Amino acid sequence: MKKKPPVLRLSKPKAAFQSDERFWPNCWHNGGDIEIGLYARSLREAAETLIATLNLKPDPKTAWDACPVVLMYRESVELHLKALVGEGSKFLPSPTDVITLYKTHSLRWLAQIVCQIIKAVRWENEFKCEGIATLADFSTVVNELEALDPVSIAVRSGGRARHDGSVPHQLQPPNVVQFAKSLDCLLDLLDSTADALAAEWDLRSECPNEANRNGGGCDPTIQ
């Protein structure tokens, strides 16, 4: 059975969207958490739909067809990273600036903040999934995704001997499809971790002395 895509975990939704700037000190999404969550899920579903149509056999006419998959996963991962940082930066000595969080598109930077959060709550042993056993593995997957921008790769390939429209190895459809499986696991991990961080913060707020003294009031529910 196909696993249901995760719903992006952001802060508790407000009764109605409000664009007043007073929300900026509290959240990077300015109250648009439901809309952003639905968009992130739609990006993943669109990528999965496109993957199902790809021709995985060598064919110059369809060789670049997998590239939009990379871009859709990239934006979905970016939004999930931002959601996790939004939930988890409260555990850091200096919470992440919400304006910077909103404006950045650097996956590497967001991943660095995520690593700081996981260390702050001491969840290094729980923050794992298929293909990601350590924070170093997590950073490697994120860095690989960031480096897969099709236009940048095409530009960097300008020195190759033949300008025949060929697709770089890492962007060929079979390789993109394989990498997408790792990204599915990553998205599930980010989603469940954001949920666990929200629950942990609520628990610490209810019993701050006991929870903080033990480095956390409950076992994380990362699955």
Side-chain angles (χ1 to χ4, degrees):
M1 179 180 295
K2 184 177 180 181
K3 185 175 182 180
K4 181 180 178 181
V7 176
L8 187 63
R9 175 59 163 88
L10 296 157
S11 63
K12 296 178 181 178
K14 299 178 175 57
F17 176 80
Q18 302 182 52
S19 59
D20 193 301
E21 291 185 358
R22 69 179 181 273
F23 285 110
W24 280 114
N26 301 317
C27 59
W28 65 271
H29 47 72
N30 199 26
D33 46 354
I34 296 176
E35 293 85 352
I36 294 170
L38 292 173
Y39 176 54
R41 185 178 64 185
S42 295
L43 285 166
R44 180 176 179 179
E45 291 177 345
E48 292 172 343
T49 299
L50 180 56
I51 284 175
T53 69
L54 291 176
N55 177 15
L56 301 183
K57 297 180 181 179
D59 186 344
K61 295 181 179 180
T62 60
W64 287 88
D65 286 1
C67 293
V69 171
V70 174
L71 298 180
M72 286 186 283
Y73 268 108
R74 188 202 184 286
E75 188 160 2
S76 186
V77 168
E78 177 186 324
L79 292 174
H80 276 81
L81 287 170
K82 287 182 176 180
L84 195 156
V85 172
E87 290 289 352
S89 66
K90 294 174 289 190
F91 294 93
L92 300 177
S94 299
T96 306
D97 176 71
V98 293
I99 300 297
T100 302
L101 181 57
Y102 167 75
K103 291 183 176 180
T104 188
H105 298 293
S106 173
L107 301 186
R108 290 186 177 90
W109 182 77
L110 291 168
Q112 290 173 2
I113 304 299
V114 169
C115 290
Q116 293 175 20
I117 292 168
I118 297 304
K119 291 177 181 178
V121 294
R122 302 176 184 176
W123 288 359
E124 293 95 325
N125 293 330
E126 289 78 21
F127 188 72
K128 60 181 62 177
C129 64
E130 184 178 350
I132 297 177
T134 65
L135 289 177
D137 293 339
F138 162 70
S139 297
T140 296
V141 173
V142 172
N143 291 344
E144 184 177 352
L145 177 59
E146 181 123 79
L148 279 184
D149 177 65
V151 174
S152 297
I153 290 177
V155 171
R156 290 198 303 268
S157 301
R160 60 181 181 269
R162 296 173 55 194
H163 296 272
D164 56 1
S166 59
V167 180
H169 175 75
Q170 61 269 47
L171 288 176
Q172 292 175 6
N175 297 324
V176 170
V177 171
Q178 185 62 36
F179 188 45
K181 296 178 182 178
S182 298
L183 297 178
D184 283 332
C185 294
L186 173 62
L187 287 170
D188 291 339
L189 176 63
L190 294 174
D191 191 66
S192 60
T193 303
D195 270 339
L197 287 169
E200 178 69 9
W201 183 258
D202 289 343
L203 183 59
R204 293 192 186 192
S205 298
E206 293 173 358
C207 49
N209 293 332
E210 184 67 21
N212 291 335
R213 184 163 57 247
N214 294 331
C218 65
D219 293 331
T221 54
I222 302 174
Q223 299 178 353

